Each structure stands twice: as C-alpha cells, then as structure tokens.
Amino acid sequence: MSLELNNIILHSLVMGNEGQLVCRTRDQELPVNNSVNHLVEELQSSYQSKAGKGFGFFSNEEDHNGEFSRLLQQVVSDETSFVEFSQSAAHLLANEVSKYEFAEEGVLLLAKYTWVASDYLLLVMLANKDTVMVTDELDISSSRHLDLSKAQLAARIDLTQWQREPESNRYISYVKGRVGRKVADFFLDFMGCQPGLDAKQQNVGLMKAVDEFCQTQALPETETKEYRETVFNYCAEQLSQGEEVELKTLAEVLPEQQNEASFYDFVSQDYELEERFPVDRSTIRKLTKYVGSGGGLSISFDQKHLGERVVYDELTDTLTITGLPPNLREQLKRK
C-alpha cells in the first residue's frame, strides 16, 4: 500500500564547541520527489514491521509537557506552517536530550503523510554513518549517509484518530528502543506522551481467553489445537497486512460450537480486552509453539509435536527429541 507524502523536513542535533547540544534547522521543507518518497516509504515499512511497539496519548495539555501537542494542533489547524512547527519541535527535543548525559548527535526527520485513509506524523531520529566506497575510477572515496537500520528512536502519531477520538489512549505509537536506553526517557517526554494501551497485555489476555474457552467447551485436544491454530493464522494474517485484531471478526472465523456458544460473548465478559488492538508477534506465536531460552540454550517447537517427536519428563526435567532437524544433525556430526 503506497502512501501520499505531504510534508517532510530534516533538522540536525550536533555538539557545539562548548560540548552543548545545538539544534540546526532547515528553513524549507524537502522537495517531494522519487528519492524522498522512497525514503519515507522505507521508513514507514520498517516502522510498521517493528515488533513490540508501545502505545500512548498526549498528557494533560495544562502541564509543562503539553507544548508539543499545542504546536501540533496549530499545524493541523493550519494556524502555523509545517516548517515553523518542525523547528519548534526540534528545539524542544534538543532541550530534552540535553538533560541526559548520553546526548548524541543525530538527524530528526519529521514527515506528514496519508496512509490507509489516515493522516500520520512520523518522527525518527537518524544517525549519520561514514562509509568508504570505490569510485568508477577505482579511487577510494568516503561518504556520509543516513543509517536507516539503526532508527531505534521513532514515534508515529495517528493524526486522524487524535482529532476524531481525543479520549483514545493509543493514537501515538513508538519504538520502545534498546535495552538500557528506553525511548521513553526523552523521546516520549519531549512529546508529552503518556503510556497507554498495552498491546502485549491485550495479546496475552486473548491467549488466556482462547484456552479457557476451549476448556469450558470441553473440546478434545485435537480440536483445541485447531482452534489455537485458527486464532494464530488470523493474527498472523492481520500482522502481515498491517492490520489489528478485531474481536468480532476473529469470532466469525472461528469454528462454531454445537451448543452455539459465542467466543465473542465469552471474551467480552471478564477479559477486559479492547474491541481491536495491535498484534504482538512474540506473544501470538505461543499459540502454536513452545518457546523458551536461558543459560545459553534456546528451544522452540510446534505444540503438535509434544507427546510425539518431543517427550517431556517432569520428574527428570528432560526433553527427549526424536528426529532432529537436518541442519542441526549435520552440525553435531561434524563435532
């Protein structure tokens, strides 16, 4: 699905002569051309596919962290230009980052675009990377380019949802960042964003509801596995298309029970699930797999193999695996 790019601009955060972080801003938007479009589409695709994103909303605009949302409202209402908004936002970010000892240089990209009938604002902190290349004349030349692979500081605001559902707790999404350097430390603070919807918790709740529904219906083991696989396939398909879990739609694709029990009615009772929520890849795979790691050992196998190719002995805490994967077998033989 292609996007329609409306505005894009870059600002840089660099270290000044006195070791202070300085914000250098552009005075004009970047021209929208094929190269720029390709860049934003690549960032959008990369952002969409990132697992474990967090979701939130703007905190009370009366507090000291409401400046960003006020500026954003002005540009959405055409009270100010995108350039002026982006410059003010860049200075806000520089001031926030300067509070931390690990302040680093980087390029702040702000892009406003339309995708799947919604307007979005994407904010990404990008790092410059120096590379060495061989020219056509076989000379060595150095160049600097944006390292898109390390875009770990990023957030996206669903402007359409924000305007239509200001009470929502999930119109802002963000990459949680690397361990030990959480994006919430400064990137969310600069936007005045409060953590909201917990997508992982929603997915865990869905898994619990599926298991307990199968138990209440006294489904045989084979039917329970099929039920879990149907849920997994639906969630995986939604994830691949950039869509979310919709409980009513999910209930419609599940097999009907003889007593006409409704999964939607069941899950709506005590599980406190949203009508729709993002898919968490690491959680839903547990619907069809047993996964575990620790102490230098990682194990993953389809649940259907338990009791057949894989046997667990609780007394000795051991797994017996019959029929190793060929690539693992060859590695073991070489040793």
Side-chain angles (χ1 to χ4, degrees):
M1 291 173 282
S2 61
L3 60 82
E4 179 184 348
L5 181 58
N6 302 311
N7 313 90
I8 180 172
I9 197 167
L10 300 174
H11 304 300
S12 67
L13 276 63
V14 297
M15 286 297 178
N17 296 331
E18 299 180 359
Q20 297 292 326
L21 200 64
V22 178
C23 183
R24 295 178 180 172
T25 60
R26 278 181 60 96
D27 294 328
Q28 294 181 332
E29 297 179 31
L30 290 173
V32 177
N33 53 38
N34 290 337
S35 297
V36 172
N37 261 311
H38 179 72
L39 169 65
V40 177
E41 286 178 352
E42 187 174 345
L43 287 172
Q44 156 70 16
S45 177
S46 174
Y47 183 86
Q48 190 69 21
S49 64
K50 285 186 180 295
K53 288 192 288 286
F55 295 84
F57 58 98
F58 288 128
S59 56
N60 189 336
E61 296 187 8
E62 296 300 321
D63 67 27
H64 68 284
N65 285 332
E67 182 64 20
F68 179 86
S69 60
R70 286 194 289 270
L71 292 168
L72 183 58
Q73 183 60 60
Q74 288 175 0
V75 75
V76 169
S77 305
D78 294 324
E79 298 174 17
T80 188
S81 70
F82 186 78
V83 172
E84 292 173 326
F85 156 72
S86 69
Q87 290 173 337
S88 298
H91 284 292
L92 280 177
L93 177 60
N95 291 337
E96 190 65 37
V97 176
S98 296
K99 299 176 183 178
Y100 298 84
E101 295 180 356
F102 55 77
E104 296 179 4
E105 297 181 329
V107 175
L108 174 64
L109 178 147
L110 300 95
K112 184 174 176 290
Y113 57 88
T114 302
W115 183 71
V116 195
S118 289
D119 294 328
Y120 292 95
L121 177 70
L122 180 67
L123 304 97
V124 187
M125 275 293 291
L126 298 168
N128 281 315
K129 182 177 181 180
D130 294 320
T131 59
V132 177
M133 60 180 292
V134 178
T135 66
D136 293 339
E137 292 75 26
L138 300 182
D139 292 325
I140 300 297
S141 174
S142 62
S143 64
R144 172 168 286 196
H145 70 273
L146 292 174
D147 190 355
L148 302 184
S149 65
K150 295 185 178 179
Q152 295 295 323
L153 300 177
R156 188 178 67 181
I157 303 168
D158 187 331
L159 301 174
T160 301
Q161 185 181 22
W162 177 41
Q163 297 300 296
R164 291 178 180 174
E165 306 173 42
E167 73 285 353
S168 170
N169 67 348
R170 46 169 299 177
Y171 49 78
I172 303 175
S173 63
Y174 53 91
V175 178
K176 291 186 176 179
R178 299 185 296 271
V179 175
R181 184 183 174 186
K182 295 181 179 179
V183 64
D185 287 345
F186 61 91
F187 210 59
L188 295 190
D189 287 345
F190 121 80
M191 291 190 299
C193 175
Q194 292 276 72
L197 176 74
D198 189 331
K200 187 177 184 65
Q201 185 180 43
Q202 292 286 305
N203 282 258
V204 170
L206 175 62
M207 287 181 55
K208 184 173 184 289
V210 170
D211 285 341
E212 294 183 355
F213 181 75
C214 291
Q215 291 174 8
T216 59
Q217 298 302 304
L219 297 183
E221 184 177 352
T222 54
E223 290 187 29
T224 297
K225 288 181 179 180
E226 291 175 0
Y227 214 84
R228 291 168 66 93
E229 287 179 0
T230 301
V231 176
F232 172 81
N233 291 335
Y234 168 81
C235 293
E237 179 66 19
Q238 294 297 99
L239 183 63
S240 68
Q241 296 182 4
E243 301 291 342
E244 300 185 346
V245 171
E246 295 189 11
L247 291 181
K248 284 187 176 179
T249 305
L250 172 59
E252 291 172 358
V253 302
L254 290 172
E256 293 185 3
Q257 302 305 305
Q258 292 183 351
N259 59 2
E260 297 184 354
S262 167
F263 176 76
Y264 180 75
D265 291 341
F266 179 83
V267 78
S268 300
Q269 293 174 4
D270 302 312
Y271 292 93
E272 299 183 353
L273 295 180
E274 302 282 342
E275 285 292 319
R276 50 190 294 270
F277 50 86
V279 180
D280 184 76
R281 183 185 291 109
S282 63
T283 301
I284 65 164
R285 67 173 181 161
K286 296 176 183 177
L287 283 165
T288 59
K289 289 182 178 292
Y290 289 110
V291 181
S293 62
L297 184 67
S298 296
I299 298 176
S300 172
F301 59 90
D302 291 343
Q303 293 185 5
K304 62 183 179 182
H305 294 316
L306 186 63
E308 297 176 0
R309 288 180 58 190
V310 182
V311 178
Y312 174 56
D313 188 327
E314 187 174 359
L315 293 178
T316 59
D317 194 27
T318 57
L319 281 180
T320 302
I321 303 174
T322 303
L324 296 180
N327 56 350
L328 176 59
R329 185 189 309 118
E330 291 304 314
Q331 293 177 63
L332 295 173
K333 284 182 177 179
R334 286 198 297 269
K335 294 296 182 181

